[in-house]
Amino acid sequence: PDLVLTQDQCEGCAVSLADVEAALARSTGLSTRVLSLAPADLTDTWQTVARIGEAIEQPDRAAEVIAQLESRLQTLSDTTSSPPNADRPRVACIEWIEPLMVAGNWVPELVELAGGIDVLGTAGTHSPWIDWSALAAADPDVIVLMPCGFDIARTRAELAAVSARPEWQQLRAVADRRVVA
């Protein structure tokens, strides 16, 4: 290949940039360009799309994609916006189940655009590990289970490991059946 796209956001989700470069050097012997991506927030995500567009000599198409995505998010935000004092659901986005990790980076921005309040993640920062007491203290109205790299079936299977925990059973979102995968 002329270009390989990878990510160095998290080495738990993919091989490291150094491993990608070493594998390419061993397997192809070619001078392949590697573009490693690690957006921290939505602005970085749009810039990442632009970087890919530049790398594949399609900057205009990248700009179109960015405009389409921004428009879709604006539509979502317009649809879910509520008065400043309205009750907005308090949301915890769980990116890893055992041990617990909550989603950071751009996910808290998406939660806000969708009309919620992210109670554990911080926009623009890496996803932090938390303990059960932090989740219990936040006691979210909604829990979104989104383990990195898992499909819905695998997420549901992994949930079985924690669903018997007393801390899990006492969460408002669990009691109200507002846990989604």
Side-chain angles (χ1 to χ4, degrees), residues 26-80:
R26 281 192 312 271
S27 67
T28 67
L30 301 174
S31 177
T32 300
R33 181 171 173 212
V34 177
L35 182 58
S36 189
L37 311 167
D41 57 22
L42 284 177
T43 298
D44 284 353
T45 302
W46 309 145
Q47 291 169 351
T48 296
V49 173
R51 285 180 60 206
I52 294 168
E54 291 290 332
I56 63 171
E57 299 177 358
Q58 294 290 322
D60 294 340
R61 179 64 182 125
E64 290 173 20
V65 169
I66 293 166
Q68 290 168 352
L69 291 170
E70 288 178 324
S71 175
R72 289 174 64 190
L73 284 178
Q74 187 59 54
T75 299
L76 172 67
S77 180
D78 292 346
T79 302
T80 60

Side-chain angles (χ1 to χ4, degrees), residues 96-98 145 147 150-163:
W96 201 250
I97 297 174
E98 190 63 45
L145 299 172
F150 287 9
D151 61 14
I152 292 173
R154 174 83 187 269
T155 299
R156 288 181 177 152
E158 294 293 324
L159 179 59
V162 297
S163 62

